[in-house]
């Protein structure tokens, strides 16, 4: 699944307006010096003794282990979720408060005018408005859980103010004195699901990328850069829709967007080339907005993904299934995940919960984990659930089926710290909100406003997205947490409509399974890969794929299931889920590792699955190094390439060969492709670019290899040029002694606070950030520690947690979080799990009452107010 908590980057400089802080470093010194220990530690949670909590009906116990992970035990569901809200607030309330300002489009209230553009875009999408409707539609039981959770959060806030809640409030007070958090509501919880849906919204970036590429490339060239899934060489999750993709016309999904205006807009008088540029201008504005919101959430990568696989008991040492999961998300401090156990004193129909795993702070329940009967994991299914429509504007409306329809409009007022409120008008068509031009230009000031006498010029882009329709995911979490068998699990999947995930299953009876859920649109025309004409009802959506038609597998004969964002089905599947799957390199490697273990006759253990999770084998290197070793090179570069002679193609942290190859890869992408592509379309690396380069690498004379400006004529000359550039860059980055080169020296992670961590103010960053940590792994290898080749080698997304669940004995399951459960910067549990995570090590985490009692270090008793 979807990050860490939101963070503000230098592209969203909340501190730009805080130039005064350059003169307040002394004040900060007072905060962390004179006030020192007391200021920093005053917000740490009470974890022992007892507390009287308003609203509790009976006594609740909160037991924490040596990592500060709470196991909450209550006699009724009301108290269970109230206590979870209280404990989440103890450890993570700043994160919760910050998130709800993000999802409501209210960051300007905290950080001033620099955030107006971001707030405008999120208000335009209307995340909170949809969440409000979802809360109204909740069944009474689920609503009672959300309300109990909110009551627990508010009970904590009642007795804690400012820096008593978190150190961040002391820092915020330097700019926005007097800020007081509002009470928590169920809508605040449900809104976070919209942020996760945005993170996992599928192929919107691919649609935008194709529109930008159409300004410079032909349909055939676009198809080369957005190839079909390699069905013949990489596995699908299920056997449904099997077939050979080599029969697919590669141009069908890459038709130039210029055709939309070149042939489809009567009276425009616009040539195809000019039309493509017009659409690209609009697409650029949406791309800027779409890219910045994930960056804000700490989830900014085109190559985001996850691994999960399950092995049946026939192949395991215990005779029961093992289930592994590591969702790949943007790194932040604290991690998006909060580990927790929720236990009814006696599991019954009225109190059905006995569940443990990873939750989101701000949201009741457990999102990924297990209960006493079943275990589950998530990876992103990646169905195409978004479409951009090119709307033809006319006066104050838009054309649709030969008529001019008025926009549906609403006013949104944004409060601004230290400034005047800003009011915007959100315009929507039958498809969804207009997300380019008009009032939203403040988001994209770096882009030229389209020409024309109507807002956004003659055309604008609207967005249709399943998450803008109220759904039932907010209920599904509880259905999942209390499910006891395959049918109960599928009942939860039926409710899990947005974001659509691959749901992997195992149970204590020995069964394994897979279910794809979600609201996935049925399109009247097209395959969703390009921007769609908005002026005709002949296009658009006619409904959603029925749940019964979505891919599902139960106890497959091979005895294991692998999901790693690869294609869920083959090209002949009767309904279109998407054309933009992950290319399947991770899935292929995991499948091969499992087949090798099973073929050897070895019975698989949790340690074996953890070893697979740490696999750094780089299939891209295996494909390209043999070519690179054959080209003619000068002496210095040849010595660097000789490092690859005995390399095992593993991107290990201490590998000189891995360092050099990845530098070569980045230079190759820039020299062969980025120089030929429009702004905003530079290669980021990862699975799609593995496939693109691997495909054309066999064609020595492909036009992609030639570059007149570089004096390069074919593949070998391009490889030689990139290798030479890589050698000089490696020397610059790591020094002339090749024996000193290490991939981990340049492939580093700074675990960055979601809100203040990239402020540009060193003392503030020092307070909240940790690292850098040297890491192995890489994009689209199983140990998916990703980096953006258009930016550099620094880590920008990670396995946000790792778990291997043992269905024979849950107490033998292993887990690790990216950071720790605490959101308090100097708390012992802020990043206590990071060193283990860094080296692919895991922890045992107890579940049974006896094991929990033995592992308990602190016990806090919550009691009703007398």
């Amino acid at each position: 699944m979807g990050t860490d908590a939101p963070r503000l980057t230098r592209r969203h400089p909340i501190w730009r307006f805080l130039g005064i802080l350059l003169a307040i470093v002394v004040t900060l010194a007072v905060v962390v010096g004179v006030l020192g220990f007391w200021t920093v530690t005053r917000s740490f949670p009470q974890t022992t003794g007892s507390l009287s909590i308003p609203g509790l009906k009976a006594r609740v116990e909160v037991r924490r282990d040596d990592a500060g992970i709470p196991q909450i035990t209550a006699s009724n569901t009301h108290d269970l979720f109230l206590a979870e809200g209280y404990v989440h607030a103890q450890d993570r309330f700043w994160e919760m408060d910050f998130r709800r300002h993000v999802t409501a489009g209210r960051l300007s209230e905290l950080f001033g005018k620099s955030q107006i553009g971001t707030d405008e875009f999120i208000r335009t999408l209307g995340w909170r408005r949809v969440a409000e409707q979802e809360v109204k539609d909740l069944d009474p039981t689920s609503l009672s859980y959300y309300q109990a959770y909110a009551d627990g959060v508010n009970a904590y806030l009642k007795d804690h103010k400012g820096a008593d809640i978190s150190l961040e409030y002391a820092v915020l007070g330097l700019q926005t004195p007097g800020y007081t958090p509002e009470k928590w509501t169920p809508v605040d919880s449900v809104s976070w699901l919209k942020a996760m849906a945005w993170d996992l919204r599928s192929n919107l970036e691919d649609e935008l990328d194709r529109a930008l590429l159409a300004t410079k490339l032909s349909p055939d060239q676009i198809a080369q850069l957005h190839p079909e899934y390699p069905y013949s060489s990489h596995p699908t999750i299920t056997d449904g829709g099997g077939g050979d993709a080599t029969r697919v016309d590669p141009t069908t999904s890459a038709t130039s967007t210029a055709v939309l205006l070149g042939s489809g807009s009567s009276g425009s008088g616009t040539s195809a080339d000019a039309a493509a540029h017009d659409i690209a201008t609009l697409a650029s504005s949406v791309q800027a907005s779409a890219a910045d919101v994930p960056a804000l959430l700490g989830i900014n990568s085109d190559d985001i993904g996850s691994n999960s696989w399950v092995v049946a008991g026939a192949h395991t040492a215990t005779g029961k299934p093992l289930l592994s999961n590591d969702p790949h998300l943007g790194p932040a401090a604290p991690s998006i995940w909060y580990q927790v156990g929720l236990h009814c004193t006696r599991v019954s129909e009225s109190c059905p919960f006995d569940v443990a795993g990873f939750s989101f702070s701000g949201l009741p329940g457990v999102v990924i984990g297990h209960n006493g009967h079943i275990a589950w994991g998530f990876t992103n299914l990646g169905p195409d659930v978004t479409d951009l429509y090119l709307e033809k504007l006319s006066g104050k409306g838009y054309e649709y089926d030969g008529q001019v329809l008025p926009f549906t409009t609403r006013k949104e007022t944004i409060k601004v710290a230290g400034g005047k409120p800003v009011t915007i008008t959100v315009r929507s068509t039958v498809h969804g909100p207009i997300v380019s031009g008009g009032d939203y230009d403040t988001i994209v000031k770096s882009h030229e406003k389209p020409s024309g006498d109507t807002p956004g010029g003659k055309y604008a882009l609207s967005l249709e997205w399943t998450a803008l329709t109220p759904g039932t995911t907010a209920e599904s979490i509880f259905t999942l947490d209390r499910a006891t068998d395959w049918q109960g699990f599928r009942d939860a999947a039926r409710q899990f409509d947005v974001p659509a995930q691959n749901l992997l299953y195992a149970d204590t009876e020995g069964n394994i399974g897979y279910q794809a859920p979600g609201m996935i649109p049925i399109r009247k025309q097209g395959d969703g890969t390009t921007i769609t004409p908005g002026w005709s009802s002949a296009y658009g959506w006619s409904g959603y794929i029925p749940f019964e038609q979505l891919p599902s597998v139960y106890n497959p004969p091979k005895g294991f299931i692998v999901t790693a964002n690869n294609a869920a089905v083959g090209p002949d599947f009767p309904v279109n889920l998407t054309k933009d799957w992950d290319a399947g390199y991770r899935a292929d490697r995991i499948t091969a590792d499992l087949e090798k273990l099973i073929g050897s006759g070895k019975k698989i253990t949790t340690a074996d699955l953890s070893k697979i999770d740490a696999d750094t084998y780089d299939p891209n290197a295996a494909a390209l190094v043999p070519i690179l070793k054959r080209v003619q090179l000068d002496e210095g570069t040849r010595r660097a390439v000789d490092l690859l002679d005995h390399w095992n193609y593993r991107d290990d942290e201490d590998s000189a060969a891995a360092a050099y190859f990845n530098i070569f890869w980045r230079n190759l992408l820039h020299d062969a492709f980025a120089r030929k592509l429009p702004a905003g379309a530079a290669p980021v690396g990862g699975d799609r670019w593995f496939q693109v380069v691997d495909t054309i690498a066999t064609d020595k004379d492909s036009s992609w290899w030639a570059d007149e400006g570089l004096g390069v004529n074919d593949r070998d000359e391009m490889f030689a040029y990139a290798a030479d550039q890589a050698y000089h860059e490696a020397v610059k980055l790591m020094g002339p002694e090749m024996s000193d080169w290490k991939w981990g020296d340049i492939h580093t992670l700074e675990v960055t606070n979601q809100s203040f961590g990239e402020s540009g103010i060193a003392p503030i960053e020092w307070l909240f950030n940790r690292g850098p940590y040297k890491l192995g792994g890489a994009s689209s290898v199983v140990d998916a520690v990703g980096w953006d080749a258009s930016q550099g080698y620094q880590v920008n997304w990670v396995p946000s947690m790792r778990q291997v669940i043992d269905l024979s004995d849950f107490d033998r399951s292993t887990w690790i979080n990216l950071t720790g459960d605490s959101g308090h910067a100097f708390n012992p549990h802020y990043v206590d799990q990071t060193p283990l995570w860094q080296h692919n090590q895991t922890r045992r985490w107890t579940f049974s009452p006896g094991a929990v009692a033995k592992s308990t270090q602190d016990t806090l008793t919550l009691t009703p107010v007398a």
Side-chain angles (χ1 to χ4, degrees):
M1 278 192 64
T3 171
D4 216 343
R7 64 183 179 190
L8 294 174
T9 69
R10 288 185 176 92
R11 289 190 297 167
H12 282 82
I14 66 174
W15 295 99
R16 186 180 300 153
F17 66 97
L18 288 184
I20 57 170
L21 280 184
L22 295 175
I24 305 182
V25 173
V26 173
T27 304
L28 286 174
V30 171
V31 171
V32 297
V34 178
L35 298 180
F37 183 78
W38 179 77
T39 298
V40 168
T41 62
R42 61 193 281 194
S43 61
F44 290 3
Q46 179 179 337
T47 59
T48 60
S50 63
L51 287 170
S52 295
I53 307 298
L56 278 183
K57 298 177 180 179
R59 170 177 165 155
V60 176
E61 279 196 340
V62 182
R63 297 172 179 246
R64 295 183 187 249
D65 64 9
D66 61 337
I69 298 168
Q71 302 270 7
I72 303 171
T73 304
S75 60
N76 61 82
T77 56
H78 172 271
D79 288 354
L80 186 66
F81 292 114
L82 188 149
E84 186 183 18
Y86 190 89
V87 171
H88 273 173
Q90 277 188 307
D91 286 326
R92 296 277 192 102
F93 184 75
W94 166 259
E95 177 185 50
M96 294 162 61
D97 195 19
F98 182 71
R99 283 176 173 177
R100 68 170 164 180
H101 280 81
V102 172
T103 57
R106 295 176 55 193
L107 282 174
S108 300
E109 294 181 24
L110 296 179
F111 306 117
K113 63 182 181 180
S114 67
Q115 295 307 299
I116 292 173
T118 299
D119 286 346
E120 285 186 4
F121 189 69
I122 294 175
R123 296 283 188 101
T124 297
L125 296 179
W127 292 354
R128 188 172 179 88
R129 291 170 59 86
V130 181
E132 288 170 349
Q133 185 59 52
E134 290 183 348
V135 170
K136 290 179 181 179
D137 295 342
L138 284 172
D139 68 84
T141 299
S142 296
L143 179 59
S144 72
Y145 297 159
Y146 278 100
Q147 188 57 59
Y149 180 90
D151 291 344
V153 176
N154 293 329
Y156 177 79
L157 292 179
K158 184 175 180 293
D159 297 325
H160 297 80
K161 308 294 180 185
D164 292 333
I165 302 174
S166 192
L167 177 62
E168 284 91 340
Y169 288 103
V171 177
L172 180 68
L174 295 173
Q175 189 272 329
T176 311
Y179 170 77
T180 301
E182 300 168 356
K183 286 187 175 182
W184 194 262
T185 71
V187 176
D188 295 326
S189 294
V190 174
S191 293
W192 182 241
L193 295 174
K194 298 303 162 187
M196 299 311 300
W198 178 257
D199 166 34
L200 302 168
R201 63 195 176 278
S202 73
N203 76 332
L204 179 63
E205 280 71 24
D206 292 290
E207 283 189 47
L208 294 168
D209 188 66
R210 290 183 177 101
L212 295 176
L213 293 177
T215 64
K216 298 186 74 171
L217 305 181
S218 70
D220 285 341
Q221 289 175 311
I222 297 172
Q224 285 184 305
L225 300 188
H226 284 271
E228 293 281 343
Y229 184 82
Y231 293 101
S232 60
S233 58
H234 288 175
T236 59
I237 298 172
T238 73
D239 293 330
D244 187 353
T246 58
R247 59 162 179 69
V248 177
D249 180 359
T251 65
T252 56
S253 64
T255 302
S256 172
T257 317
V259 173
L260 278 179
L261 290 184
S263 61
S265 60
S266 59
S268 67
T270 308
S271 69
D273 287 343
H277 282 280
D278 286 346
I279 296 175
T281 302
L282 296 171
S284 293
S285 72
V286 179
Q287 185 187 58
S289 304
D292 285 347
V293 174
L296 183 70
L297 295 171
I299 318 171
N300 191 11
S301 173
D302 291 337
D303 201 28
I304 203 163
S306 302
N307 300 324
S308 188
W309 63 94
V310 62
V311 182
H315 302 306
T316 69
T318 65
K320 295 291 185 180
L322 297 173
L323 187 149
S324 177
N325 191 196
D326 58 293
H328 308 155
L329 303 170
S335 162
I336 187 174
W337 300 111
Y338 182 97
Q339 234 174 317
V340 67
L342 302 173
H343 310 280
C344 291
T345 306
R346 185 176 67 85
V347 177
S348 63
E349 185 176 348
S350 62
C351 195
F353 296 100
D354 186 25
V355 61
F358 293 92
S359 68
F360 295 140
S361 63
L363 192 72
V366 167
V367 177
I368 295 178
H370 69 84
N371 58 33
H373 301 275
I374 73 169
W376 62 91
F378 286 2
T379 64
N380 194 21
L381 174 61
D384 189 349
V385 296
T386 60
D387 273 337
L388 287 168
Y389 292 86
L390 187 66
E391 305 286 4
K392 192 186 303 182
L393 306 184
S394 179
K396 294 184 178 181
Y398 62 99
E399 293 186 21
Y400 190 70
D401 283 348
Q403 301 180 36
V404 176
L405 301 182
F407 291 109
T408 300
T409 63
R410 70 175 190 272
K411 299 286 187 182
E412 294 276 352
T413 299
I414 300 168
K415 297 179 181 178
V416 181
K420 295 180 180 180
V422 174
T423 299
I424 65 170
T425 300
V426 178
R427 300 174 177 85
S428 297
T429 72
V430 293
H431 303 114
I434 297 292
V435 290
S436 66
D439 287 339
Y440 320 122
D441 284 340
T442 54
I443 309 170
V444 289
K445 286 182 178 178
S446 61
H447 296 274
E448 183 179 353
K449 186 174 180 180
S451 60
D453 55 4
T454 57
K458 291 184 178 181
Y459 296 89
L461 293 177
S462 65
L463 174 67
E464 189 165 18
W465 176 33
T466 55
L468 300 184
T469 299
T472 55
T473 301
E475 298 174 10
S476 70
I477 295 167
F478 306 120
T479 308
L480 184 58
D481 285 356
R482 60 180 178 245
T484 59
D485 56 20
W486 173 243
Q487 186 56 53
F489 174 79
R490 293 192 79 222
D491 289 343
R494 188 182 300 272
Q495 295 176 312
F496 206 103
D497 44 31
V498 175
Q501 299 290 285
N502 295 306
L503 301 186
L504 209 56
Y505 170 89
D507 65 35
T508 55
E509 298 299 314
N511 302 299
I512 64 173
Y514 161 83
Q515 178 65 57
M519 294 171 60
I520 303 173
I522 300 171
R523 292 172 174 84
K524 298 176 184 177
Q525 292 191 45
D527 57 14
T529 58
T530 56
I531 294 172
T532 302
W535 48 82
S536 171
S537 60
Y539 298 88
W541 299 353
S542 61
Y544 300 98
I545 299 172
F547 180 78
E548 290 73 18
Q549 294 183 25
L550 295 175
S552 184
V553 174
Y554 188 60
N555 289 330
K558 63 183 178 182
F560 67 88
I561 306 168
V562 174
T563 80
N565 316 113
N566 53 313
V569 293
D572 292 330
F573 197 70
V575 293
N576 175 34
L577 303 180
T578 186
K579 296 294 185 182
D580 289 312
W581 302 105
D582 178 281
Y585 288 88
R586 286 176 288 113
D588 188 53
R589 180 66 178 178
I590 294 167
T591 299
D593 286 341
L594 290 174
E595 288 176 341
K596 183 178 180 180
L597 285 171
I598 292 170
S600 72
K602 173 182 171 56
K603 293 298 184 178
I604 298 173
T605 67
T606 56
D608 292 323
L609 295 198
S610 291
K611 185 176 180 181
I612 293 175
D613 214 9
D615 187 355
T616 61
Y617 179 81
D618 190 334
N620 186 44
L624 300 186
V625 165
I627 299 173
L628 178 59
K629 288 166 64 175
R630 293 195 298 266
V631 303
Q632 294 184 349
L633 303 165
D634 64 31
E635 182 179 353
T637 304
R638 170 54 61 188
R639 288 190 298 110
V641 171
D642 286 346
L643 292 171
L644 309 177
D645 282 347
H646 304 291
W647 184 34
N648 58 7
Y649 303 132
R650 295 184 182 274
D651 289 318
D652 293 332
E653 178 267 328
D654 61 354
S655 170
Y660 177 70
F661 174 79
N662 281 293
I663 296 173
F664 162 76
W665 171 240
R666 179 171 182 250
N667 279 274
L668 182 68
L669 291 177
H670 177 269
D671 298 335
F673 298 96
R675 287 168 50 85
K676 302 179 178 74
L677 302 181
V684 300
D687 67 285
R688 177 162 69 90
W689 286 99
F690 283 16
Q691 186 182 358
V692 168
V693 176
D694 188 31
T695 300
I696 66 171
T698 58
D699 182 0
K700 183 178 179 181
D701 296 315
S702 168
S703 60
W704 289 109
W705 301 128
D707 189 305
E708 184 177 351
L710 299 178
V712 171
N713 298 302
D714 60 21
R715 179 199 64 194
D716 289 356
E717 290 182 8
M718 180 60 75
F719 271 51
Y721 182 84
D724 185 62
Q725 296 296 109
Y727 167 67
H728 292 293
E729 184 180 353
V731 170
K732 182 179 179 180
L733 291 173
M734 296 176 289
E737 292 296 328
M738 295 181 190
S739 60
D740 294 335
W741 292 359
K742 293 182 179 180
W743 175 224
D745 285 348
I746 59 175
H747 187 236
T748 61
L749 167 67
E750 183 173 11
V751 183
T752 305
N753 181 268
Q754 60 262 37
S755 50
F756 297 110
E758 295 190 15
S759 65
I761 307 298
I764 295 175
E765 293 185 357
W766 175 86
L767 286 175
F768 299 109
N769 295 350
R770 300 295 181 269
Y773 298 94
K774 298 180 179 182
L775 297 174
S779 300
S780 294
V781 305
V782 178
D783 184 17
V785 183
W787 54 285
D788 185 338
S790 69
Q791 301 295 322
Y793 308 99
Q794 292 72 33
V795 173
N796 70 341
W797 59 282
V798 298
S800 56
M801 61 82 164
R802 300 181 178 103
Q803 66 172 17
V804 179
I805 303 176
D806 186 339
L807 275 295
S808 72
D809 182 352
F810 291 117
D811 292 330
R812 291 204 298 243
S813 302
T814 59
W815 316 68
I816 200 68
N817 202 349
L818 170 63
T819 58
D821 256 13
S822 179
H824 301 291
F826 292 92
N827 187 279
H829 305 304
Y830 187 55
V831 290
D832 56 333
Q833 297 187 52
T834 306
L836 293 173
W837 174 91
Q838 177 187 14
H839 298 294
N840 287 288
Q841 299 175 24
T842 55
R843 297 170 40 88
R844 289 284 178 91
W845 190 38
T846 56
F847 177 73
S848 67
V852 169
K854 288 181 181 179
S855 66
T856 297
Q857 290 204 348
D858 294 326
T859 301
L860 175 67
T861 302
L862 306 180
T863 61
V865 174

